[in-house]
Amino acid sequence: MTALPSLRLKKNADRRLKAGHLWLYSNEIDTQATPIKEIEPGAQVVIEAANGKAMGVAYVNPHSLICARMVSRDPSQGLDRSLLVHRLNQALALRQRLFDKPFYRLVHGEGDLLPGLVIDRFGDVLVVQLNTAGMQAVLPELLDALDKVLSPSSVVLRNDTSGRRQEGLEAGVEVVKGELPDRVLLEENGVQFVAPVLDGQKTGWFFDHRVNRAWLNGLVAGKRVLDLFSYVGGWGIQAAANGAREVLCVDASGPALEHVAENAALNGLHEQVAVGEGDAFEVLAALKAEGEEFDVVILDPPAFIRKRKDIPNGERAYGKLNREAMRLLGRDGLLLSASCSMHLTPERLVDVVRGAVRHQDRQGQILFQGHQGPDHPVHPAIPETSYLKALGMRVFRD
């Protein structure tokens, strides 16, 4: 490998790296010894401790708060086609151990030692997100590596994430290999779905709730179910497929609800599944005014807390959502309350839901505490890779 420039750390700034973390912040760099502003965004460097000892290779973006991300602990091994093939094979081996069908998150960024990279697999179709300048810089090598490891028929770049804007990268969606089939299909927990990989949210589907949905699927037979923030029906249609008597999927997006109808029809469930378009809080109020009641309510909202400063307002929003949802539960109902806000801890989600239960003068019993599925592995040194919570609670009148 061509000799790489060095980036030296301040004294004691190597502690997190030694503990396994992959990130470096701009205030940890010894800019007198190694001026970071002179390095091109996306370029790779050898990270050195304050004493000059090489610690590995990282890619750099001097304009980002996280100014460097480690890709290798070997100072002679940068992020090239060879390392990408190796890491992709490692990631694939885990998924093949976990799942018998090719529908999963193939690469979960830092959790798979490939910071800035997300890949979701829909059979022979791969949807790729390059969230950092360092990953963008190795796109040709990545595509070669994917061909060697999986030889996909189609590859879609969903480069329209907020992370790219923070990295100073252009946004766009592009099919960079092959042609997409008319419908990109996936199967989860025995139920089929069409994934809108070009214009849906994120990569088109949320594989992270697979295990949590499987738990709920065992408790919905014969029940009336409300699925709020339904997106394309991941929760609601699986509930219908598992015997729910009636399901109402609510979302603010008309196109998402069209996909709900399509996915219901795909599974022969169009008679059990209805849709309602609108703001979740307004729909909850309207349903209560109409005297509607449900046995199961599912809350899977977008992140109300994106940054630490959002925590107070975000917690209030989660509290209000859970309170209003509980008003629609019968005397002995089941609430599935989820949060994808990394800054809302599992303990605080319990506090929020407990507070909502007491506000409605009811009793609550926690039956289930779930998190992201194993195809979204958590890096043990990086708490930020653990973000998803799901709380299953019985809500009843004593």
Side-chain angles (χ1 to χ4, degrees):
M1 195 177 85
T2 322
L4 294 174
S6 297
L7 199 61
R8 186 161 292 188
L9 303 179
K10 293 177 179 175
K11 188 178 179 181
N12 296 327
D14 57 359
R15 287 175 177 169
R16 279 184 310 104
L17 289 193
K18 286 180 175 177
H21 212 295
L22 303 181
W23 296 352
L24 289 168
Y25 293 94
S26 51
N27 61 2
E28 296 173 320
I29 308 302
D30 182 348
T31 53
Q32 296 298 313
T34 52
I36 190 170
K37 296 295 183 188
E38 296 175 8
I39 301 173
E40 281 289 312
Q44 297 184 44
V45 299
V46 174
I47 299 296
E48 294 179 351
N51 63 5
K53 181 185 177 183
M55 301 187 69
V57 176
Y59 63 68
V60 172
N61 189 342
H63 309 306
S64 175
L65 176 63
I66 302 171
C67 68
R69 300 176 198 242
M70 296 289 288
V71 294
S72 170
R73 297 283 169 173
D74 179 352
S76 65
Q77 175 62 66
L79 187 61
D80 56 12
R81 182 181 181 276
S82 170
L83 184 58
L84 285 163
V85 167
H86 173 65
R87 292 273 160 82
L88 289 171
N89 275 319
Q90 283 183 318
L92 180 62
L94 172 64
R95 277 67 180 184
Q96 290 179 330
R97 191 186 310 174
L98 294 168
F99 307 113
D100 60 359
K101 294 188 178 176
F103 309 109
Y104 41 69
R105 173 146 296 181
L106 174 65
V107 173
H108 184 55
E110 282 80 352
D112 285 296
L113 305 181
L114 287 167
L117 179 64
V118 168
I119 304 177
D120 279 351
R121 184 179 186 187
F122 303 90
D124 290 333
V125 176
L126 299 180
V127 182
V128 177
Q129 291 180 325
L130 305 167
N131 295 318
T132 56
M135 273 298 164
Q136 182 69 45
V138 295
L139 175 58
E141 293 87 346
L142 174 64
L143 294 175
D144 279 352
L146 287 171
D147 269 344
K148 180 170 177 60
V149 174
L150 278 173
S151 191
S153 63
S154 306
V155 177
V156 179
L157 293 186
R158 281 298 301 263
N159 286 339
D160 52 353
T161 64
S162 59
R164 284 181 67 85
R165 289 193 291 275
Q166 292 163 11
E167 288 269 317
L169 298 170
E170 291 183 2
V173 178
E174 185 182 1
V175 180
V176 291
K177 181 187 177 185
E179 289 187 13
L180 280 181
D182 290 340
R183 299 196 299 183
V184 176
L185 296 175
L186 70 116
E187 185 179 312
E188 184 179 287
N189 297 327
V191 183
Q192 281 201 316
F193 293 89
V194 175
V197 298
L198 289 178
D199 54 5
Q201 294 179 28
K202 304 291 176 127
T203 64
W205 182 256
F206 294 92
F207 283 117
D208 51 4
H209 267 306
R210 179 198 320 251
V211 177
N212 305 324
R213 291 184 187 122
W215 174 79
L216 187 66
N217 289 346
L219 296 170
V220 295
K223 305 298 185 186
R224 189 167 192 240
V225 176
L226 174 62
D227 178 10
L228 278 174
F229 308 96
S230 70
Y231 184 43
V232 298
W235 290 93
I237 286 168
Q238 287 190 39
N242 283 275
R245 177 176 90 252
E246 187 182 330
V247 176
L248 175 59
C249 289
V250 173
D251 201 275
S253 164
L257 293 175
E258 289 174 15
H259 287 298
V260 171
E262 180 183 15
N263 287 324
L266 182 65
N267 292 279
L269 299 168
H270 48 283
E271 291 186 2
Q272 288 107 297
V273 178
V275 299
E277 184 177 346
D279 171 83
F281 291 97
E282 293 174 4
V283 170
L284 284 171
L287 289 170
K288 182 62 181 174
E290 292 161 12
E292 297 285 358
E293 199 171 85
F294 296 87
D295 305 299
V296 179
V297 175
I298 300 157
L299 304 176
D300 186 16
F304 291 159
I305 305 171
R306 297 193 179 277
K307 297 179 179 174
R308 202 174 291 278
K309 66 178 178 63
D310 301 332
I311 289 175
N313 287 339
E315 288 189 355
R316 281 193 288 274
Y318 283 116
K320 181 181 179 184
L321 179 65
N322 280 273
R323 287 195 305 273
E324 296 305 305
M326 285 178 194
R327 296 173 68 210
L328 292 174
L329 282 171
R331 291 189 61 83
D332 189 355
L334 183 63
L335 178 77
L336 191 293
S337 184
S339 167
C340 61
S341 296
M342 187 273 293
H343 291 293
L344 184 75
T345 66
E347 295 76 20
R348 285 299 296 146
L349 178 60
V350 170
D351 281 347
V352 164
V353 177
R354 174 190 52 76
V357 170
R358 296 311 304 141
H359 188 273
Q360 298 301 328
D361 197 24
R362 299 198 193 187
Q363 300 293 336
Q365 293 172 319
I366 296 173
L367 311 180
F368 175 79
Q369 287 183 277
H371 46 84
Q372 63 217 57
D375 53 344
H376 293 62
V378 174
H379 191 299
I382 309 178
E384 293 87 350
T385 58
S386 177
Y387 64 96
L388 194 71
K389 283 82 49 182
L391 190 65
M393 183 173 277
R394 181 192 188 199
V395 179
F396 61 102
R397 299 191 189 281
D398 196 1

